[in-house]
Amino acid sequence: MYDVLVVGAGPSGSKTAQLCALMGLKVLLIERNKKVGVPVQCTGLFSHRIFELSGVSNKPLLNVVDKARFYSPNSQFLELKSRKPAYVFDRKQFDLELFGFAKKAGAEAKVGTSFLEYREKPGYLEVETSSGTFETKLLIGADGPNSSVAKAANIEVPQDLIVGYQETLHGDFNPDTVELWFGKGTAPEFFGWVVPISRDTARVGIGASKSAQAYFRKFAEKRLGTPLEKGTIEGGIIRRGLIKRSATERVMLVGDAACQVKPYSGGGVVYGLIGAKIVSNACFLSVKSGDFSEAFLTRHYDRQWKSQLSSGIRKGLLIDWLAHKSPDWTLNFGAAVSKKFKFLLESMDMDLI
Ligand SMILES: Cc1cc2nc3c(=O)[nH]c(=O)nc-3n(C[C@H](O)[C@H](O)[C@H](O)COP(=O)(O)OP(=O)(O)OC[C@H]3O[C@@H](n4cnc5c(N)ncnc54)[C@H](O)[C@@H]3O)c2cc1C
């Protein structure tokens, strides 16, 4: 009998498993892929909070950036210099380091093992996976934006989906500057991004609810010129919004599964690691008190993480609405006016918390 069974060895799941194991809980971490960290579905751009929250070393760090250029539809840009730098990581190595921490802390890990369903039994859950059936007191869904655990637990998730399509490309880039390109012709519901790894290599991507690859080609050709040689493809789904509830009896969701994502940028690693800290604490309290009810888990998890992250999510939804519901001419105008408020914008926290 496990105290906690965590589904998904992304950053949120590995961190949850690590922290639960460090608190003395008996943990099983399962991951459907045979290898952790692949396929990469991320740009790997994280705020200054990443080192403290994740505990990772400098090894997976590829670049440090401290400027962002916001391009309006008329290709004018506003450049902001951040007070604190942001970090560009090798996401595969980042995930592998976190997975290593979970195992080192004592969590048992099974890769190539998919969560299938669970059944409620008196005093525990019976979890069926592709590698057999396991018994656990608590089940944590850290299984990403299309969470099977959320479906099995009948937890409703927000339906705003964006497809992120990205390729690692060669060109001429400013190594300390991230670019964000806005406009109906570039990305009607999101933006195009250029995140440099070095002077000649960058992660170039776009978010769109449909035809993401077509928008990407157009954007990359505009930014880098034609003809474009195909780079390494890294893409995935971004789910946005504030989930109504992330806990039910004996089950909690964390990370992308709980929509702990900045809606304006799609960034979810920092929020997911904050979620992992709170959910592992809730697991500890629940196992120690023997209370696995929805009311207890809502009080110790759902309300706790929302008190830290819901205002950031709401602000992110507002920024997203302003940037994408306005016609292009207001964005051009807004970008010109914003130059006067550079000092205010430069003091903003990229995590909105
Ligand atoms: C193109 C793109 C770019 C992005 N760029 C950034 C960025 O720069 N910065 C940032 O902070 N965020 C970024 N994100 C978002 C970021 O990738 C996610 O927020 C982050 O990966 C969430 O971590 P997680 O651990 O919650 O989920 P995931 O990383 O999705 O991990 C979930 C894990 O669960 C496993 N799994 C799924 N189903 C099952 C199952 N049934 N059984 C067992 N295992 C299962 C999966 O294989 C996966 O390993 C980006 C997303 C996209 C799509």
Side-chain angles (χ1 to χ4, degrees), residues 5 38 57 95 134 146 166 178 228 240 270-271 284 302-303:
L5 191 155
V38 284
S57 69
D95 282 25
F134 301 97
N146 274 335
Q166 172 181 284
V178 167
L228 255 191
R240 308 184 298 173
V270 162
Y271 278 20
F284 177 77
D302 191 76
R303 278 194 213 139

Side-chain angles (χ1 to χ4, degrees), residues 6-15 29-47 50 87-89 91 94-95 98 110 112-117 128-130 141-149 162-167 190 193 195 203-207 234-239 254-262 265-273 350-351:
V6 182
V7 181
S12 315
S14 288
K15 186 46 83 178
L29 170 62
I30 64 166
E31 165 56 49
R32 73 174 165 201
N33 293 330
K34 289 209 173 88
K35 286 187 178 157
V36 168
V38 284
V40 171
Q41 297 178 312
C42 186
T43 312
L45 180 71
F46 309 139
S47 74
I50 200 67
Y87 300 93
V88 187
F89 273 86
R91 177 65 201 269
F94 178 84
D95 282 25
L98 284 173
K110 285 185 191 296
T113 301
S114 292
F115 165 85
L116 299 174
E117 58 174 337
E128 205 174 305
T129 77
S130 57
D143 49 344
N146 274 335
S147 168
S148 308
V149 176
I162 288 285
V163 177
Y165 183 94
Q166 172 181 284
E167 290 187 18
F190 209 67
W193 64 86
V195 174
R203 293 177 182 149
V204 180
I206 199 129
E234 294 129 353
I237 284 175
I238 296 164
R239 192 181 284 281
V254 67
D256 273 23
C259 251
Q260 290 166 346
V261 173
K262 288 174 269 181
S265 71
V269 173
V270 162
Y271 278 20
L273 291 171
M350 76 182 257
D351 292 326

